[in-house]
Amino acid sequence: MSIHLLKLVFVPFISLFIMLSSVTLGKGANLPLMAGSALLLFVSVIADKKYPWIKALQFLILGVFQYASHLNWCILLYYILTINVIQHKSKLGQMMPYALLMISEYSLIRFTFTPFNMYTVLVAVFDILSSIVIIFMFHIIVRIETEKKTLFKQNKYLINHDPLTGFLNYDGYMRAVRGLADSPGSFQLILLDINNFKSLNAKDIATANEILISFSISIRNHFTNMLAAARYAGDRFAVLLPSTEPFKDLRSFDDLGLRVTYSITHYPQEASTFQEVISMAEERIFQMRRESWLKSQEEFMRSAKMKTVGELAAGMAHEIRNPLTAIKGFIQLSKLQNYNIEPWYEVIMGEITRVGELTAEFLQFSKPHMSNMKVDSLIGCMTRVFSLCESEAASRGHTFTMELPEQQVMVFMDRDKMIQVLINLIRNAFQAMETTGNVHFSLSLEQQAAMIRVEDTGKGIAKSEIGQIFDPFYTTKEDGTGLGLSLCQKIVEDHGGTISVHSEFGVGTIFTVKLPVAEEEV
């Protein structure tokens, strides 16, 4: 029950009871004065909410009523009026003067119709102590209620708001959109997404929070007339704007180093229900993010390609410059011999041949795609490779074996390119064995993929080198171009496959080519 309602119920009831008691006990010295002051007190109680200044007069009216009734029971009315005055005071020091003033008035008026002796003095002291205790207890109750209201407000705020930015959280955002959709009128729902947020705060949570706080401040400054704003899903924000508010360009966020994707959905022009406007906004921001991601991926791939082209061009220039430098030197020497190049003819021709081989392999490496792709037998392809390499193995003194499955294995491939890859791997295996060794050539089916392995018992590859063997122009051979394995890797990847290597130094090396099996074989 509120204090105002308490006054309206108890003040007239207590006043009437005191008047009747005073008349019955023969205490009322002035009945008209008592009835008039009681009526004025009740009217002031009704009007003091609208006219707060009346509260100052209520104690005077109550004093007249107490004097006219000649009863001590008016103390209850003093307590009610005192609580009415101090109900909005939060500090005990602000309450106590009113209590002392009230009890002083009451005691002084009481002495006008009661004998002044030790008993009445002690009763006055007791009344003062009672008023202090009552005010103190009222202060405790007010403080508890104030703390309870504060906690309730804080809890309600935390339920609906993001503590970091002060914006609405997801639940608050849903309620805000639902409330606007249920009310007459129109609005705009704008979703904002920070594209590069993860890259900006990958290492430091504090930095991430600073970014979000700065972004929320920028949103407040940018959308000055927004109806509400929310942060949800980490780095995504929602802004509700009046339908008449023009949408401003988002370039102001560039100062924060943020790339922002946004979508705009109008209600009810584009969506007629609360669920529709949310779904449409989410779908649009998803599509915008996807387009932004695809664009960034294209830029990344373009950059990666340009980097690769640059590395290839630099490597090719370096590799060609070496033989050209040698040829130039021999030509300059021949000038001293009347242009007789016979002593260096073989060396010059060897260097020219090397330039030709480099150019040929580089052209193969740069071909954009396979030219003769079709479903073909991998067993037939490997059998052909085995027959081509068998004589070379014998001439080097190596043992060359092949292991094939009984069932046919069909692969979508360019047969000539695949033969080129496998021959290159097998010849590398032959060259890796400085003494007589064994090369095992095998095919197996594992999890709907064809696995071709070339195993040798050569010297192996050092751990420091194994990560570089597929890099263009990297080679450990004196006469190698460094494009062989890079070309093999490109051809295999063009076939949708992968090539990997496992090697133990001093034991041997295994190259594995993994190719997807054609659909009719799956």
Side-chain angles (χ1 to χ4, degrees), residues 293-303:
W293 181 83
L294 290 174
K295 185 177 180 180
S296 64
Q297 288 297 109
E298 289 177 1
E299 292 177 355
F300 174 78
M301 292 299 295
R302 189 181 301 110
S303 176

Side-chain angles (χ1 to χ4, degrees), residues 258-466:
L258 303 177
R259 296 195 301 270
V260 180
T261 299
Y262 67 91
S263 69
I264 306 175
T265 307
H266 296 85
Y267 178 90
Q269 293 88 341
E270 297 179 303
S272 58
T273 65
F274 156 72
Q275 291 86 355
E276 285 182 7
V277 71
I278 294 290
S279 299
M280 184 175 292
E282 291 291 343
E283 176 63 23
R284 286 179 175 176
I285 195 68
F286 171 78
Q287 294 297 335
M288 295 293 290
R289 285 195 67 179
R290 184 173 180 275
E291 291 175 8
S292 177
W293 181 83
L294 290 174
K295 185 177 180 180
S296 64
Q297 288 297 109
E298 289 177 1
E299 292 177 355
F300 174 78
M301 292 299 295
R302 189 181 301 110
S303 176
K305 287 179 180 177
M306 292 302 295
K307 181 181 177 182
T308 302
V309 169
E311 290 175 352
L312 285 172
M316 189 65 180
H318 175 75
E319 293 297 326
I320 292 179
R321 184 175 56 189
N322 290 336
L324 289 178
T325 301
I327 293 172
K328 179 181 178 181
F330 291 131
I331 294 297
Q332 289 173 339
L333 287 173
S334 70
K335 183 178 181 181
L336 301 176
Q337 302 292 331
N338 296 320
Y339 296 101
N340 179 19
I341 65 171
E342 185 175 356
W344 307 285
Y345 176 80
E346 294 296 333
V347 180
I348 291 173
M349 291 304 296
E351 293 300 295
I352 292 173
T353 301
R354 176 173 167 76
V355 171
E357 290 175 353
L358 275 168
T359 305
E361 291 198 11
F362 187 78
L363 289 173
Q364 290 187 47
F365 187 84
S366 62
K367 285 186 178 178
H369 53 76
M370 301 296 98
S371 58
N372 190 26
M373 298 289 287
K374 63 181 179 179
V375 176
D376 206 340
S377 169
L378 196 54
I379 291 178
C381 176
M382 291 179 63
T383 302
R384 173 65 176 166
V385 171
F386 184 79
S387 64
L388 292 173
C389 297
E390 193 173 16
S391 59
E392 183 177 350
S395 66
R396 291 176 178 268
H398 301 315
T399 303
F400 186 32
T401 59
M402 182 171 65
E403 180 182 355
L404 300 174
E406 294 182 0
Q407 66 185 98
Q408 191 63 262
V409 180
M410 306 299 290
V411 173
F412 188 67
M413 64 179 178
D414 184 328
R415 181 184 177 92
D416 292 336
K417 296 296 182 183
M418 194 53 60
I419 288 175
Q420 178 184 349
V421 169
L422 298 179
I423 289 177
N424 198 331
L425 294 178
I426 292 170
R427 285 180 174 168
N428 282 349
F430 291 160
Q431 295 169 8
M433 297 182 293
E434 297 176 350
T435 60
T436 301
N438 177 62
V439 174
H440 186 60
F441 189 33
S442 63
L443 172 63
S444 62
L445 279 173
E446 298 178 13
Q447 299 180 348
Q448 301 179 352
M451 310 293 289
I452 306 170
R453 292 182 175 85
V454 178
E455 308 174 39
D456 66 60
T457 57
K459 60 183 179 181
I461 304 172
K463 289 184 178 179
S464 60
E465 298 177 348
I466 202 165

